[in-house]
Amino acid sequence: MNDASLADNPFAARYARDFAASPRNAVIDTLLAHRSWRAFKPDPLPAGTLETLIAAGQSAATSSNMQTWSVVAVEDPARRAELLKLGENQKQILEAPLVLCFVADLSRLAAIADRINHKRAGLDYLELFMVAAIDSALAAQNVCVAAESLALGTCYLGVLRNHPEEVAAFLKLPPMAAVTFGLAIGFPDPKRPANIKPRLAQGSVLHRETYDAAQALAPVADYEVALDAFNKRERNGQPLWGLRSSARVAGPESLSGRDRLKFALRQLGFPLL
């Protein structure tokens, strides 16, 4: 199923099969139309776009209103060219006029507690890093949806976790701050389109009342057929989803350097007790 289906039934486009669901509105249509754009036009973003996107990000839920995230906007072409090296030459970093580096940031709370001479040992625990990482993800997804509602394209950049210390140094982050991922934002290049990638059937991810392990696996075979057809249309040559996903978790060597992430985070000031 191609993107032509989206106009009539965005649910069908998302699942690559007939799918009846309601209610539906413009916000839901924007969400269902998400795809990762890896090709951007060089056009700059309109004035005020960055500030609007950050306002959307700050409107996301945040644990106990602690707001344990920050973002570094990288717009300068020369800086993006440097970031490209840390991003292992993912070209969207250079093509997109804006790259947002989302930060799990406990440094601000640490500084506030120090300023009022208050204890802050709780920041040393894994729970607080989890809070900060989740806060950054919630904010980023709000930014992503806001950008797409403005006809902009986006692409998440998990690759920035491959070199956490180098990225932190590049952005001049203080201790107790680490980049969780980046987000490239710009006007999509229609000459190099991105299509809607099918997702697992809801039966695999939606459980009612209790988790059903058999139900989680049942739709996978059909999904692999649908995704394989999509990959062939996209000519990206990817193997079947189960094989590709299993390869990503086969061992520490398959984690692209992120097997040392706990060590790197401790180097960046997170004790992770």
Side-chain angles (χ1 to χ4, degrees), residues 149-265:
S149 77
L150 297 172
L152 297 170
T154 65
C155 184
Y156 279 99
L157 301 164
V159 68
L160 298 186
R161 291 196 304 281
N162 291 8
H163 308 284
E165 297 104 325
E166 292 89 339
V167 170
F170 174 75
L171 299 175
K172 298 185 178 180
L173 299 183
M176 301 190 80
V179 167
T180 47
F181 45 79
L183 185 65
I185 302 174
F187 289 102
D189 183 350
K191 296 178 181 178
R192 295 173 289 171
N195 291 316
I196 297 172
K197 185 178 293 186
R199 294 292 197 252
L200 283 163
Q202 286 195 8
S204 188
V205 301
L206 173 61
H207 303 265
R208 298 182 184 274
E209 310 306 337
T210 60
Y211 192 98
D212 184 336
Q215 173 188 311
L217 290 177
V220 169
D222 286 344
Y223 173 67
E224 289 195 314
V225 172
L227 185 60
D228 190 50
F230 172 87
N231 289 336
K232 286 175 179 174
R233 288 196 303 272
E234 297 294 299
R235 297 182 175 85
N236 61 25
Q238 291 185 355
L240 289 177
W241 179 76
L243 180 61
R244 183 171 185 267
S245 298
S246 295
R248 292 292 300 270
V249 300
E253 70 285 349
S254 63
L255 299 180
S256 302
R258 300 178 206 176
D259 53 299
R260 57 179 300 278
L261 186 57
K262 182 167 67 174
F263 171 80
L265 289 172

Side-chain angles (χ1 to χ4, degrees), residues 48 83-84 112 132 150 193 231 250:
L83 187 60
L84 179 68
I112 290 169
L150 297 172
N231 289 336

Side-chain angles (χ1 to χ4, degrees), residues 44-59:
L45 301 183
T49 300
L50 173 59
E51 292 78 7
T52 294
L53 296 179
I54 299 308
Q58 288 188 278
S59 298

Side-chain angles (χ1 to χ4, degrees), residues 62-63 65-70 103-109 123 127-136 176 178 180 270:
T62 169
S63 181
N65 197 34
M66 290 188 291
Q67 304 177 68
T68 54
W69 67 278
S70 295
V103 180
D105 187 1
L106 298 181
S107 70
R108 185 166 50 239
L109 278 182
L123 294 176
E127 161 63 7
L128 266 295
F129 176 79
M130 287 286 293
V131 164
I134 292 168
D135 266 12
S136 75
M176 301 190 80
T180 47
F270 296 94

Side-chain angles (χ1 to χ4, degrees), residues 80-91 93-94:
R80 282 189 283 111
E82 292 182 55
L83 187 60
L84 179 68
K85 300 172 187 175
L86 294 172
E88 299 183 0
N89 295 313
Q90 292 195 10
K91 57 182 175 49
I93 294 172
L94 192 58

